Amino acid sequence: RLTVVPMRGWQRGMTWRNTGLRWIPTSPNIPGPNSPIYYAATGILGSLDGVDIGIGTARPFEYAGGKGIDPGQFAADMTRMRIPGVRFSPYVSSRKPGFAGVALGIDPHGSTDLMALAVILCSEVVRRSNGHPLRATSGDTLTLFHKVWGSESLWNALKSRRPAGQVIAGFQSYARGFAESRQGFLLY
């Protein structure tokens, strides 16, 4: 039996900052109230080897990069995609020599499809680093990647260089169906 207790003063469009409550980090890598947004966008990428998502920096999960990537070109190309609520700027890793990519700026009130963004970032980093993350990832790390995504489908798509748009289109009808079916359960 599950009892759901409604909250007072909370509305669906609120972010943590809107609550006025103090943020308590759930981990050293989730240091601030916007960290979960970045985790959703780059966490799957970070479960590959041979990438950089900012773990060990002051901004974990706020980067997407790999070995040999041209950061200026990557940022320009991502900006041209016009992903709602996301800004991209070039970065060069200070922790991993030879690694570079994009720093993300995600509007917490934006309408960004974070799963779609995650697929695009995985696809772009793998492509721009000539498949290095796929060659570097094996064993338990590969098993974890499949578990994080929920199947082997993203791995297979990345290996076959399937366009990110096709991968995203493949889960959009499920996402729309889920959004519709949950409506009857929402309290706010």
Side-chain angles (χ1 to χ4, degrees):
R1 182 159 162 20
L2 174 66
T3 302
V4 178
V5 179
M7 294 184 290
R8 285 179 295 206
W10 187 81
Q11 298 171 0
R12 181 156 300 283
M14 294 175 88
T15 65
W16 187 268
R17 288 186 196 276
N18 299 131
T19 69
L21 299 172
R22 182 172 58 102
W23 176 261
I24 299 173
T26 57
S27 124
N29 292 322
I30 307 291
N34 290 336
S35 299
I37 296 167
Y38 290 93
Y39 176 74
T42 65
I44 186 74
L45 174 62
S47 58
L48 291 171
D49 284 331
V51 300
D52 183 19
I53 59 169
I55 298 299
T57 72
R59 295 175 50 199
F61 298 107
E62 295 185 30
Y63 302 94
K67 197 169 186 89
I69 291 178
D70 177 336
Q73 188 65 54
F74 190 10
D77 292 345
M78 292 300 294
T79 299
R80 272 193 288 281
M81 289 184 190
R82 291 189 160 92
I83 298 171
V86 186
R87 292 179 326 280
F88 301 94
S89 56
Y91 94 96
V92 175
S93 177
S94 59
R95 296 190 66 250
K96 294 183 172 185
F99 282 69
V102 291
L104 289 81
I106 302 175
D107 178 356
H109 295 285
S111 61
T112 308
D113 180 339
L114 294 173
M115 287 310 300
L117 177 59
V119 169
I120 292 166
L121 292 172
C122 283
S123 179
E124 290 294 322
V125 168
V126 166
R127 182 177 69 80
R128 290 169 189 274
S129 60
N130 295 314
H132 175 72
L134 301 180
R135 291 188 304 278
T137 304
S138 62
D140 290 343
T141 305
L142 179 57
T143 300
L144 179 61
F145 180 82
H146 295 324
K147 286 180 181 178
V148 170
W149 181 251
S151 73
E152 295 179 14
S153 65
L154 181 57
W155 176 264
N156 292 335
L158 293 169
K159 281 188 74 165
S160 67
R161 295 181 171 257
R162 190 167 157 212
Q166 288 181 9
V167 176
I168 295 163
F171 64 73
Q172 288 301 314
S173 64
Y174 171 80
R176 281 190 299 276
F178 175 77
E180 289 172 18
S181 67
R182 77 181 188 143
Q183 287 300 314
F185 301 95
L186 298 178
L187 298 178
Y188 310 97

